[in-house]
Amino acid sequence: MNPDTSLSLPGLSSEDSLLLLRASAEISFNSILVTGPDRRIIYANPAFCNMTGYSLNDLLGQNPKMLQGPLTEQSVIDRMNAALKTSGSFNGSTINYRKNGRPYLVEWTISPVRGDSGEVRYFISIQKDITQLHAEQSTGNLFAKAIDAAYDGIFITNADGVIEFANQGFEIITGYSPNEVVGKKPSVLKSGKHDITFYKGLWRHLSEGLPFRAMIVNRHKNGHEIHCQQTITPVKNADGRITHFISIIKDMTDRVFEELKLREQASHDSLTGLLNRRAGEIELDVALIQAQESEASFCLLMTDIDDFKAVNDTYGHPRGDQIIKAVADILMDQTRKTDKCIRWGGEEFIVLLPFCDLPKAMEIAENVRAAMADSHFDEAGRITLSIGVAESQVNDTPAGLLERVDQQLYSAKRQGKNRVVTQQDCTPLKQNDDV
């Protein structure tokens, strides 16, 4: 929305329009962070504070880089800085850190708000998957821009249920443009999946001034069903009379959000289909947090293809890719559904084994080693794996655990390859005597 555009909605004063926009923002699933042109934080809504663990006083005057940490991707930050210096707009994702040190994945957009002369007065950062929104210090233009840029669908009806406003997110989810639904009732989305009892309960809540939230099956403009988490909230005037209803819909069917497909692509290795290193680092962080909270350990396997460089140099990269994919298939076949198989880089792989003790981890590792040793690759012949196994410890760090399992892997290499070595005594669990 252009910041010079009037905030008035059809048939409403600017004051009532601002009231509706403010109320819409307060119940959005997104969070909002506002900085000045110097990138210093001038506002963070409660949803943002809940997400990060920082209070508003902690954030005011700070640079958002305070949220960065070891897993924050520098290339994304560099791209963001370059974009803000040119177009002023940016969208991307990386790892940030809460006040308590725990990492989280954030996806965000940054948009400039310009004054009448075109100068940048603010930057707005809108972030996903947050259930509440409150923006006390924002201007009407900031609220309007935040609502229109929201990933969630937002529409506003009058007290009679006639739609007066719908944002771009509504069009993305339902297929209906704002022009097609303004002046109509939400029944245009009706799928027929809910009976009269459901709607009686809905209106009983709303008529009493209470918000209503439920999973609702709507129908897309193209005819297919969309399963939405929908929140409907009454808006009252100063006299306590309900004047409008604000609805926020979140598509739970994953049919219309292309960014979810991009997220899947960004987290998986294109050759093997396994998690890539970046996603693996996140999984390792999460596993350590869960282990510490539950006072339970987990195990980590690190495996490397023996003499892979010689195979690549002799038989070419296509044959090397075939072997890498074979290892990935074996890892998926020999591990549990709850395990995380990761292509760590090149010919190196990691397997995260949650709620797994060392004996079970050694058994899984040996099954992987044996399955690979039994494989045959035409002229390349028999290819083997060396595997290191380590168990997490109290107050472990990702770096410390990775260093230990890496030591076991290289111990397996030094002892002759094609074997599993554990952290207990760095002696091989089992080996093929033919090597």
Side-chain angles (χ1 to χ4, degrees), residues 155 170 173-174 176 186-194 198-199 202 214-221 223-232 247-251 253 255:
F155 65 97
F170 178 88
I173 294 173
T174 68
Y176 290 97
S187 57
V188 68
L189 302 175
K190 218 169 187 179
S191 66
K193 294 293 183 179
H194 302 285
F198 174 85
Y199 289 105
L202 182 156
M215 288 295 297
I216 297 180
V217 181
N218 289 319
R219 190 167 300 281
H220 192 274
K221 180 181 178 181
H224 64 262
E225 294 177 357
I226 44 177
H227 296 255
C228 299
Q229 180 179 322
Q230 186 161 345
T231 302
I232 307 172
S247 291
I248 298 180
I249 56 176
K250 190 178 189 72
D251 184 8
T253 61
R255 297 185 188 182

Side-chain angles (χ1 to χ4, degrees), residues 334-359:
Q334 298 297 329
T335 56
R336 306 165 302 174
K337 291 183 179 180
T338 54
D339 299 334
K340 305 293 184 181
C341 299
I342 305 152
R343 186 180 180 192
W344 199 244
E347 68 272 25
E348 195 170 60
F349 300 82
I350 279 181
V351 182
L352 187 62
L353 306 170
F355 305 104
C356 182
D357 58 18
L358 198 54

